[in-house]
Amino acid sequence: MSHNSFGHLFRVTTFGESHGPALGAVIDGCPPRIELTAAEIQVYLDKRKPGQSRFTTQRREPDEVKILSGVFEDRSGRQVTTGTPIALMIENTDQRSKDYGEIAQKYRPGHADYVYDAKYGVRDYRGGGRSSARETAARVAAGAVARKIIPGVTIRGALVQIGPHRIDRSRFDWAEVENNPFFCPDKETAARWADYLDDIRKAGSSIGAIIEIEATGVPVGWGAPIYGKLDSELAAALMSINAVKGVEIGAGFAAAELTGEANADEMRAGPDGAPLFLSNNAGGMLGGISTGQPIVARFAVKPTSSILTPRRSIDSKGQDADVVTKGRHDPCVGIRGVPVGEAMMACVLADQFLRHRAQIG
Amino acid sequence: MSHNSFGHLFRVTTFGESHGPALGAVIDGCPPRIELTAAEIQVYLDKRKPGQSRFTTQRREPDEVKILSGVFEDRSGRQVTTGTPIALMIENTDQRSKDYGEIAQKYRPGHADYVYDAKYGVRDYRGGGRSSARETAARVAAGAVARKIIPGVTIRGALVQIGPHRIDRSRFDWAEVENNPFFCPDKETAARWADYLDDIRKAGSSIGAIIEIEATGVPVGWGAPIYGKLDSELAAALMSINAVKGVEIGAGFAAAELTGEANADEMRAGPDGAPLFLSNNAGGMLGGISTGQPIVARFAVKPTSSILTPRRSIDSKGQDADVVTKGRHDPCVGIRGVPVGEAMMACVLADQFLRHRAQIG
Amino acid sequence: MSHNSFGHLFRVTTFGESHGPALGAVIDGCPPRIELTAAEIQVYLDKRKPGQSRFTTQRREPDEVKILSGVFEDRSGRQVTTGTPIALMIENTDQRSKDYGEIAQKYRPGHADYVYDAKYGVRDYRGGGRSSARETAARVAAGAVARKIIPGVTIRGALVQIGPHRIDRSRFDWAEVENNPFFCPDKETAARWADYLDDIRKAGSSIGAIIEIEATGVPVGWGAPIYGKLDSELAAALMSINAVKGVEIGAGFAAAELTGEANADEMRAGPDGAPLFLSNNAGGMLGGISTGQPIVARFAVKPTSSILTPRRSIDSKGQDADVVTKGRHDPCVGIRGVPVGEAMMACVLADQFLRHRAQIG
Amino acid sequence: MSHNSFGHLFRVTTFGESHGPALGAVIDGCPPRIELTAAEIQVYLDKRKPGQSRFTTQRREPDEVKILSGVFEDRSGRQVTTGTPIALMIENTDQRSKDYGEIAQKYRPGHADYVYDAKYGVRDYRGGGRSSARETAARVAAGAVARKIIPGVTIRGALVQIGPHRIDRSRFDWAEVENNPFFCPDKETAARWADYLDDIRKAGSSIGAIIEIEATGVPVGWGAPIYGKLDSELAAALMSINAVKGVEIGAGFAAAELTGEANADEMRAGPDGAPLFLSNNAGGMLGGISTGQPIVARFAVKPTSSILTPRRSIDSKGQDADVVTKGRHDPCVGIRGVPVGEAMMACVLADQFLRHRAQIG
């Protein structure tokens, strides 16, 4: 048991605080002979990296990943995994020597300050310490490795709602996602979001969001029954991301309003004996096992708790105190949640793939 | 790693098929010297038991639990746990000797039939075998034990939506939950649901639902950071229940539409230095750790896939086939999901309590 | 984490006390479509069953195993595993209604009585409760299933020493093992042991023993490095058997006296590029991974602690007390340890085989 | 499941190759508020460090440990653990740019070369890569942390046999262990070993050894039954150390030759109701649980496989090849095994202590 590990056969352990010397991940269970370079991992870290637009925190971190172990050249001279643990390290460089006195003494509402102090009796308060969303950099690095072991699978994420503004599903276009700072799958919506979020940002406020992650190319049979269900593990994975308050698969909460007739994903015979599904309310899984349809999951991210408007709180002595969070923050943390959600999906699928390969029950 | 186990320190392994000789659970990690009798467990099984009203399946199962191990009399003659594994067994009695020919050959939409065959190459098709919701009887039995090790905690569940019909939060009354066959926390709503569900039932149709589970009395500090978060483990637990398609904590998906100001659960100094929270959008946890507020989770259950209206599907030879599911089924499986959700909450909390007691990081 | 589970992918959880209603095992992770009947498991239980000769306890237990789940008929009508958990139950029948008053109050030296009371504050004292060697029946049942998933592997065990009497290695003949009540691989030695053990038995005494387990047919590459080493997992498995005080692999403790030259298992090119090893001091594994040579392990079993000669001890109130253990006991528990050791070897190999198949690092 | 992790609640994951950029450990589950500095860890690394005398390899590695996470100053300004993962890193500095051509192509007998290639199809051959005993530096670092969480426990190790030369138990003196380069608990024996080992070393040969580890101050009740036994976990821990071929507890293999009367550790009433044991054949544990007596374990280490005398082997193409291992090697790896064995004992005890504190069954 390990609070800082995720996965079973593809097992990721992360470490590190927001303002400590370094953070990173150790990946245990990666199969051997998979080509892997730091540059490939860096691509995904750069997507998550702060400071990419005015809509994310202005903290400047290169987030450069180093591979400390587990990769070596094969007989063809390619850098490949060796089957030994892959240790990845990202050194923290932008550790501003600012005065943390206030945050050290006051509990910011919506943050883990109070509960960490109550549970552990000590905390690294600098930038949120271990509870900082900075930890997700290690997840993204691990997710990049996970993608390499399920090469036929495509994992994509998009922001589908900011505050009350949802995208129009009929205009959903994956090709647009990389063309705007919101990972928004619709050009026009992205433009509207820019205006909306500028207002939020200038007001020193923040707003929630919903993210959708899709995996295509997953064959029938990945996943497991009962407590190892693909949906259960995805739910755990996505809910473990900072600020996430809800997870749904396929039709999700809307399934509560459907009749059995409407919810049934009917099937017709396909060319190779496999079914052609006529809908995908199940989000690509039944009984915890993939059906061959796209895996579809969504998760809701609460607004950043760090805002300029003073909020009532208490300090570490149990006295009333008002808190204003200055400094560099994301007006909508949901945006940078997109690559993190993709990474968690990748880790879950890599793990289930390896379990499937073992042919365990 | 075990697909049929749940929890870390309070670890539950379930076994059994819908129409096999027996199903049950082995609980490993229950502390010693806790008073425990089969009768106490039976109370919760009876809540989940089929055939309690016309709104659940008419299958008649006594669901009588036997304790095979782990309990012995102490020096006062009380039956107490001994610290050894507690094996619980529920024998299957209502195994109708009906012809399962059709279900053996055809894949019912929305059920796990197709994926089990694709993954395993064999399946116990009788009543859904292992993928039957009957497995949840073992969860409820385990949950009854879990409740005993966190005695100050009260766990309650209610059905808060059937199809499009939500309860009015202002009328929410826990005292009403036991007074109607829906676990509905409002008398008037329950009456309306009865009419609505009668129509569904008579039409041989089915409908989805949303369930809310609340735990009060959880002190600050249970839970763990990063991948062992209380929310993450609750999400996994609830999503692992048959037919569940979404899980949310506190404000849940609605948090996506909130600003940072509205979402912040402000605090004032309480009498003992602990904070008094002025709202509970967080659902009782921050950074994965309990705040001392009530733990609040909701989950969405899809409509029963077994309906009388024929649905298009394929058979085990990959040919088109229509499926009509006759027999005894729940028009709304969400109803019996309430005690199951409570049980999963109990198991998660018992596990986190034990981890907290170990004072591990 | 679970004190009562063993293995990772082939995961066995046992339950039950010596004189409770039943004991058993739940096997999670058995691959599907493996032919399995209760009769096949019974063969191994009968080898371990008490009362087979005058050299083992005269307790009469049929030790009849029932399969409660996880097996179903395939399309050919064969009983096969389905990939779901296999629950095995052995009901206790010979629960003599004798007075356990003495054993309930006094701590037998060499038994777990004192430590269970000190740790748990309560214990099922009847026949040793959970700490009874009766628990190994569940291991043997699980081992029988484990053997089925590694069909090319032959696992055999033999008693190679009783008290000071070792077998002569030059006379070692596996064919003799089934021909005497000691699992002794030499007819003449068996005859001498019979005389020796008769004296021990008649004196109400007991004696230790050494058991050797060999697995042939294991290909190169099973096992894992570092903490998942084949030797490490075998050591844990064998040391977990009641009364075991030592475990060694290959040359074992004798390796301490060898030079590097003598210890090196030299190799010559084999017909298919694989090495032919010229010796097997390594016991079939290097760096924790199988070499293709026979896997060889030995373990030492202490003498049964239950003897007729009074021993000084204390009672549950901390007062001096003398203990005489009457009743039915094994003069040499090592004998019945042979099928248990085989079972543990089978479980370890099945687990490593599945991990190897997953191709995890 | 993770091949590179050890422990359950006190969970250590190690990474790194002999000649890669760095090796290290991530410790998850260390309780908070424990004072910890890199200097404290360094003390133990220095004991294991190569090049301390002419009897260990002349490789020069400073083995300087850095703490990357998990430690922060508390309100008193002390560096303490925070409950978050403690990442420890040791950079490799003495990576000689020598030609590894020969070792890359030939399989050294007794090393993991052949099995790694057979299993993974690729290996980092430099200095043995991951299978190098250099990995044990990470164990020693983790063990230093483990010691801090069981402050009342004293863990000591000694070399008790080199080749055929055992120490005389009557001369055993823990105070001598630090006074000679062998961790030998007797001054005279150490002098004789120096002569003996000089001959071995000059001949380019090597020799095996036996190490004894003792833990005093462990109260009754640590450990767990069945598969979580203290003896079982110690066996796994010690057998996982490179080159170990046997493990025994208390009387160990000698128990095979004892009668029940001789083996029984009799008890008399102690001052506080706890027993005074009159002997310790059990090595401090019964039924897998500590008795309050000293924990005593021994393990046998085979001779270093790297020797100057040519040995017959094969190369990576399956052809006959002779191997001579030049370079810097330990004539008796058992010597440096002493601090490693201590570290593993510390990790096992820390883990069992935390489990005991959780009061899980």
Side-chain angles (χ1 to χ4, degrees):
Chain A
M1 204 209 59
S2 165
H3 300 147
N4 296 281
S5 296
F6 184 77
H8 302 269
L9 299 201
F10 183 83
R11 188 155 178 86
V12 177
T13 300
T14 70
F15 64 86
E17 276 78 40
S18 178
H19 286 63
L23 52 87
V26 179
I27 300 167
D28 197 2
C30 184
R33 299 189 311 281
I34 291 173
E35 212 165 343
L36 183 70
T37 62
E40 288 176 288
I41 300 170
Q42 197 62 47
V43 169
Y44 295 97
L45 282 169
D46 288 349
K47 281 182 72 177
R48 195 212 73 101
K49 199 165 65 174
Q52 301 291 81
S53 80
R54 70 181 183 275
F55 302 109
T56 59
T57 172
Q58 297 305 299
R59 178 170 170 164
R60 298 278 169 196
E61 283 284 3
D63 278 359
E64 191 186 334
V65 68
K66 286 180 190 166
I67 299 177
L68 297 184
S69 65
V71 169
F72 192 64
E73 61 200 20
D74 69 4
R75 285 169 191 168
S76 321
R78 299 179 313 152
Q79 293 292 313
V80 298
T81 59
T82 60
T84 65
I86 302 167
L88 305 173
M89 182 173 67
I90 299 163
E91 287 169 288
N92 289 319
T93 56
D94 188 17
Q95 306 162 43
R96 288 198 188 177
S97 57
K98 73 176 180 184
D99 175 21
Y100 285 101
E102 191 170 1
I103 193 175
Q105 304 303 334
K106 287 183 187 174
Y107 297 140
R108 297 167 298 163
H111 281 285
D113 302 347
Y114 163 59
V115 293
Y116 267 60
D117 249 13
K119 185 178 184 71
Y120 298 119
V122 62
R123 74 190 152 96
D124 182 346
Y125 44 75
R126 300 168 304 165
R130 181 73 179 145
S131 72
S132 165
R134 187 147 175 69
E135 185 269 344
T136 60
R139 301 177 185 226
V140 168
V145 179
R147 286 174 192 260
K148 298 284 302 198
I149 71 175
I150 44 170
V153 174
T154 301
I155 295 167
R156 299 184 290 197
L159 205 64
V160 297
Q161 183 173 339
I162 286 189
H165 304 290
R166 298 190 190 193
I167 61 154
D168 176 351
R169 300 300 299 193
S170 71
R171 299 181 53 85
F172 198 112
D173 180 3
W174 282 112
E176 283 299 322
V177 162
E178 303 284 342
N179 296 337
N180 61 75
F182 307 106
F183 303 106
C184 176
D186 173 30
K187 190 178 180 177
E188 287 185 20
T189 302
R192 278 198 303 274
W193 285 358
D195 292 342
Y196 175 75
L197 211 54
D198 266 331
D199 290 347
I200 294 279
R201 181 174 60 82
K202 287 171 187 164
S205 182
S206 65
I207 190 71
I210 296 179
I211 292 157
E212 182 166 315
I213 310 288
E214 182 195 87
T216 54
V218 176
V220 63
W222 291 12
I226 316 301
Y227 308 106
K229 282 176 175 162
L230 187 46
D231 12 8
S232 178
E233 303 215 334
L234 260 177
L238 298 175
M239 194 68 97
S240 78
I241 301 172
N242 310 48
V244 173
K245 300 305 291 181
V247 177
E248 60 181 15
I249 307 289
F253 274 86
E257 308 199 8
L258 295 178
T259 61
E261 290 77 8
N263 183 62
D265 294 324
E266 294 185 289
M267 296 173 260
R268 292 286 77 179
D272 55 352
L276 293 173
F277 286 92
L278 308 182
S279 58
N280 190 14
N281 286 310
M285 61 199 82
L286 286 169
I289 298 168
S290 64
T291 60
Q293 285 200 288
I295 308 291
V296 180
R298 274 178 302 280
F299 58 101
V301 179
K302 72 178 183 181
T304 319
S305 298
S306 302
I307 50 177
L308 280 181
T309 308
R311 294 285 93 185
R312 287 172 289 177
S313 186
I314 65 168
D315 62 22
S316 60
K317 290 174 183 153
Q319 304 297 313
D320 281 355
D322 279 6
V323 173
V324 177
T325 316
K326 293 167 190 155
R328 305 158 297 174
H329 296 288
D330 290 280
C332 176
V333 278
I335 298 171
R336 291 168 62 211
V338 174
V340 182
E342 290 177 2
M344 296 313 287
M345 173 76 87
C347 288
V348 168
L349 289 173
D351 190 57
Q352 289 279 11
F353 164 68
L354 293 172
R355 288 198 251 172
H356 185 67
R357 188 153 71 180
Q359 296 177 42
I360 49 178
Chain B
M1 203 208 61
S2 167
H3 300 147
N4 296 280
S5 296
F6 184 76
H8 301 269
L9 299 201
F10 183 83
R11 188 157 176 84
V12 177
T13 300
T14 69
F15 63 87
E17 277 79 39
S18 178
H19 287 64
L23 53 87
V26 180
I27 299 167
D28 198 2
C30 184
R33 299 190 311 281
I34 291 172
E35 212 166 342
L36 184 70
T37 63
E40 288 176 288
I41 301 171
Q42 195 64 45
V43 169
Y44 295 98
L45 282 169
D46 288 348
K47 282 181 71 176
R48 195 213 72 100
K49 200 166 64 175
Q52 301 291 80
S53 79
R54 69 182 184 275
F55 302 109
T56 59
T57 171
Q58 296 307 299
R59 179 171 172 165
R60 298 275 169 197
E61 285 283 2
D63 279 1
E64 192 185 334
V65 68
K66 287 180 191 164
I67 300 178
L68 297 183
S69 66
V71 169
F72 192 63
E73 59 200 22
D74 69 5
R75 284 166 192 170
S76 323
R78 300 178 313 151
Q79 293 292 313
V80 298
T81 59
T82 60
T84 64
I86 302 168
L88 305 173
M89 182 173 67
I90 299 163
E91 287 170 287
N92 289 318
T93 56
D94 187 18
Q95 306 162 43
R96 289 199 188 174
S97 58
K98 73 178 182 183
D99 176 20
Y100 285 101
E102 192 170 358
I103 192 176
Q105 305 302 333
K106 287 182 185 174
Y107 297 139
R108 296 167 299 163
H111 281 286
D113 302 347
Y114 164 59
V115 293
Y116 268 59
D117 250 12
K119 184 175 184 73
Y120 297 119
V122 62
R123 74 189 153 97
D124 181 346
Y125 43 76
R126 301 168 304 165
R130 180 74 179 145
S131 73
S132 165
R134 188 150 174 67
E135 186 268 342
T136 60
R139 300 178 186 225
V140 169
V145 180
R147 286 174 192 260
K148 299 282 300 195
I149 69 175
I150 44 171
V153 175
T154 301
I155 296 167
R156 300 183 289 197
L159 206 64
V160 296
Q161 182 173 339
I162 286 190
H165 304 290
R166 300 191 190 192
I167 60 153
D168 177 351
R169 302 298 299 194
S170 70
R171 300 181 53 85
F172 198 112
D173 180 3
W174 281 111
E176 282 299 322
V177 162
E178 302 285 340
N179 295 336
N180 62 75
F182 306 108
F183 303 105
C184 177
D186 174 30
K187 191 178 181 177
E188 287 186 21
T189 303
R192 279 198 301 277
W193 285 359
D195 292 342
Y196 175 74
L197 211 56
D198 266 331
D199 292 346
I200 294 279
R201 182 174 59 83
K202 288 171 186 164
S205 183
S206 65
I207 191 70
I210 296 179
I211 292 157
E212 181 166 315
I213 310 288
E214 182 196 86
T216 53
V218 176
V220 63
W222 292 11
I226 315 302
Y227 306 107
K229 281 176 176 162
L230 187 47
D231 14 6
S232 178
E233 303 214 335
L234 260 177
L238 298 174
M239 193 69 98
S240 77
I241 301 172
N242 309 47
V244 174
K245 300 305 291 179
V247 177
E248 60 181 13
I249 307 289
F253 274 87
E257 308 199 9
L258 296 177
T259 61
E261 289 78 7
N263 182 64
D265 294 324
E266 293 184 287
M267 295 173 261
R268 291 286 77 178
D272 55 351
L276 293 173
F277 286 93
L278 307 182
S279 57
N280 190 14
N281 287 310
M285 61 199 83
L286 286 170
I289 298 168
S290 64
T291 60
Q293 286 201 288
I295 308 290
V296 181
R298 275 177 301 280
F299 58 100
V301 180
K302 71 178 184 181
T304 319
S305 298
S306 302
I307 49 175
L308 281 180
T309 309
R311 294 284 92 185
R312 289 173 286 177
S313 185
I314 66 167
D315 61 22
S316 60
K317 290 176 183 152
Q319 303 298 312
D320 282 356
D322 279 7
V323 172
V324 177
T325 314
K326 292 166 191 156
R328 305 158 296 172
H329 295 288
D330 289 281
C332 176
V333 278
I335 299 172
R336 290 169 62 209
V338 173
V340 182
E342 289 178 2
M344 297 312 288
M345 173 76 87
C347 289
V348 167
L349 289 174
D351 191 57
Q352 290 280 10
F353 163 67
L354 293 172
R355 290 198 249 171
H356 185 66
R357 188 153 70 178
Q359 296 176 40
I360 48 178
Chain C
M1 204 208 60
S2 165
H3 301 146
N4 296 280
S5 296
F6 184 75
H8 301 270
L9 299 200
F10 183 82
R11 189 157 177 83
V12 177
T13 301
T14 70
F15 63 87
E17 275 80 38
S18 178
H19 286 63
L23 54 84
V26 179
I27 300 167
D28 198 2
C30 185
R33 298 190 311 281
I34 291 173
E35 212 166 343
L36 184 69
T37 63
E40 288 176 287
I41 301 170
Q42 196 63 47
V43 170
Y44 295 98
L45 281 169
D46 288 348
K47 283 181 71 178
R48 193 211 75 101
K49 200 166 63 175
Q52 300 290 81
S53 80
R54 68 181 183 277
F55 302 109
T56 59
T57 172
Q58 297 306 300
R59 178 170 170 164
R60 299 276 169 197
E61 283 283 4
D63 279 1
E64 191 186 333
V65 68
K66 287 181 190 165
I67 301 177
L68 298 184
S69 65
V71 169
F72 192 64
E73 61 198 20
D74 69 3
R75 284 169 192 166
S76 321
R78 300 179 313 152
Q79 293 292 312
V80 297
T81 59
T82 60
T84 65
I86 301 168
L88 304 173
M89 182 173 67
I90 300 164
E91 286 169 288
N92 289 320
T93 57
D94 188 16
Q95 306 162 43
R96 290 198 187 175
S97 57
K98 73 176 179 184
D99 176 21
Y100 285 102
E102 192 170 359
I103 192 176
Q105 304 304 333
K106 288 183 186 174
Y107 298 138
R108 297 167 297 165
H111 281 285
D113 302 347
Y114 163 59
V115 294
Y116 268 60
D117 249 13
K119 186 177 182 73
Y120 299 120
V122 62
R123 73 189 154 98
D124 181 346
Y125 44 76
R126 301 168 303 165
R130 182 71 180 147
S131 73
S132 166
R134 188 148 175 68
E135 186 268 345
T136 61
R139 300 178 186 225
V140 169
V145 179
R147 285 174 193 261
K148 299 284 301 196
I149 70 176
I150 45 170
V153 174
T154 300
I155 296 166
R156 299 183 290 196
L159 205 64
V160 297
Q161 183 173 338
I162 286 190
H165 303 289
R166 299 191 191 192
I167 62 155
D168 177 350
R169 301 300 299 193
S170 70
R171 300 181 54 84
F172 199 113
D173 180 3
W174 282 111
E176 282 299 322
V177 163
E178 303 285 341
N179 296 337
N180 62 75
F182 307 105
F183 304 106
C184 176
D186 174 29
K187 191 177 179 175
E188 287 185 21
T189 303
R192 278 197 303 275
W193 286 358
D195 292 341
Y196 175 73
L197 212 53
D198 267 329
D199 291 345
I200 295 278
R201 182 174 59 83
K202 288 170 187 165
S205 182
S206 64
I207 192 69
I210 297 180
I211 292 156
E212 181 167 316
I213 310 288
E214 181 196 86
T216 53
V218 176
V220 62
W222 293 11
I226 315 301
Y227 307 106
K229 281 176 176 161
L230 187 46
D231 13 7
S232 178
E233 303 215 334
L234 260 177
L238 297 175
M239 194 69 97
S240 77
I241 301 172
N242 309 48
V244 173
K245 299 306 290 180
V247 177
E248 60 181 14
I249 307 288
F253 273 87
E257 307 199 9
L258 296 177
T259 61
E261 290 77 8
N263 181 63
D265 296 322
E266 294 185 288
M267 296 172 261
R268 291 286 79 177
D272 56 350
L276 293 173
F277 286 91
L278 308 182
S279 58
N280 189 15
N281 287 310
M285 60 198 84
L286 285 169
I289 298 168
S290 64
T291 61
Q293 284 200 290
I295 307 291
V296 180
R298 272 177 305 281
F299 58 101
V301 179
K302 71 177 183 183
T304 319
S305 299
S306 302
I307 49 176
L308 280 181
T309 308
R311 294 285 93 185
R312 286 172 288 175
S313 186
I314 64 167
D315 62 21
S316 59
K317 290 175 181 151
Q319 303 298 313
D320 281 356
D322 278 6
V323 173
V324 177
T325 315
K326 293 167 191 155
R328 305 158 295 173
H329 295 288
D330 290 281
C332 175
V333 278
I335 299 172
R336 290 168 62 212
V338 174
V340 182
E342 289 178 2
M344 296 314 286
M345 173 76 87
C347 288
V348 167
L349 289 174
D351 191 57
Q352 289 280 11
F353 163 68
L354 292 172
R355 288 197 250 171
H356 185 66
R357 187 153 73 180
Q359 295 176 42
I360 49 178
Chain D
M1 203 208 61
S2 167
H3 300 148
N4 297 281
S5 296
F6 184 76
H8 301 269
L9 298 201
F10 183 81
R11 189 157 177 84
V12 177
T13 301
T14 70
F15 63 87
E17 275 80 38
S18 178
H19 287 65
L23 53 87
V26 180
I27 299 167
D28 198 2
C30 184
R33 299 190 309 280
I34 291 173
E35 213 165 342
L36 184 70
T37 63
E40 288 176 288
I41 301 171
Q42 196 63 47
V43 169
Y44 295 97
L45 282 168
D46 288 349
K47 281 181 70 176
R48 194 213 72 101
K49 200 165 65 174
Q52 302 290 81
S53 79
R54 69 183 183 275
F55 302 109
T56 59
T57 171
Q58 298 305 301
R59 178 171 172 164
R60 299 275 170 198
E61 284 283 3
D63 280 359
E64 191 187 333
V65 67
K66 287 180 190 166
I67 300 177
L68 298 183
S69 65
V71 169
F72 192 64
E73 60 200 21
D74 69 3
R75 283 165 194 172
S76 321
R78 300 178 312 152
Q79 293 292 312
V80 298
T81 59
T82 60
T84 65
I86 301 167
L88 305 173
M89 182 173 66
I90 299 163
E91 287 169 288
N92 290 319
T93 56
D94 188 18
Q95 306 162 42
R96 290 199 187 174
S97 58
K98 73 176 181 186
D99 175 21
Y100 285 101
E102 192 170 358
I103 193 175
Q105 304 302 332
K106 287 183 185 174
Y107 298 138
R108 296 167 298 164
H111 282 285
D113 302 349
Y114 163 60
V115 294
Y116 267 61
D117 250 12
K119 185 176 183 75
Y120 298 120
V122 61
R123 73 189 154 99
D124 181 346
Y125 43 76
R126 301 168 305 165
R130 181 72 180 147
S131 72
S132 165
R134 189 151 174 65
E135 185 270 342
T136 61
R139 301 178 185 225
V140 169
V145 179
R147 285 174 193 261
K148 299 283 301 196
I149 69 176
I150 44 170
V153 174
T154 301
I155 296 167
R156 299 184 290 196
L159 206 63
V160 296
Q161 183 173 337
I162 286 190
H165 304 289
R166 298 190 191 193
I167 62 155
D168 176 351
R169 301 299 300 192
S170 70
R171 300 181 53 85
F172 199 113
D173 179 3
W174 282 111
E176 282 299 323
V177 163
E178 304 284 340
N179 296 336
N180 62 75
F182 306 107
F183 303 106
C184 177
D186 173 30
K187 190 177 180 177
E188 288 186 20
T189 303
R192 278 199 301 277
W193 286 358
D195 291 342
Y196 175 73
L197 210 55
D198 267 331
D199 291 345
I200 294 280
R201 182 173 60 81
K202 287 170 187 164
S205 183
S206 64
I207 191 70
I210 296 179
I211 293 156
E212 181 167 316
I213 310 288
E214 182 196 86
T216 53
V218 176
V220 62
W222 293 12
I226 316 302
Y227 307 106
K229 281 177 175 159
L230 186 47
D231 14 7
S232 178
E233 303 215 335
L234 261 177
L238 298 175
M239 193 69 98
S240 78
I241 301 172
N242 309 48
V244 174
K245 299 305 290 180
V247 177
E248 61 181 13
I249 307 289
F253 273 87
E257 308 199 8
L258 296 177
T259 61
E261 290 77 9
N263 183 63
D265 294 324
E266 293 185 288
M267 296 173 260
R268 290 286 79 179
D272 54 351
L276 293 174
F277 286 92
L278 308 182
S279 58
N280 190 14
N281 287 310
M285 60 199 83
L286 286 169
I289 298 168
S290 63
T291 60
Q293 284 201 287
I295 307 291
V296 181
R298 274 177 303 281
F299 59 100
V301 179
K302 70 178 184 183
T304 320
S305 299
S306 302
I307 48 176
L308 279 181
T309 308
R311 294 285 93 184
R312 288 171 288 176
S313 186
I314 65 169
D315 63 21
S316 59
K317 290 174 181 150
Q319 303 297 312
D320 281 355
D322 280 6
V323 172
V324 176
T325 314
K326 292 167 192 157
R328 307 157 294 172
H329 296 288
D330 289 280
C332 175
V333 278
I335 299 171
R336 290 169 62 211
V338 174
V340 182
E342 290 177 2
M344 296 313 287
M345 173 76 87
C347 288
V348 167
L349 289 174
D351 191 55
Q352 290 280 12
F353 163 68
L354 293 172
R355 289 198 251 170
H356 185 67
R357 188 153 70 179
Q359 296 177 40
I360 49 178

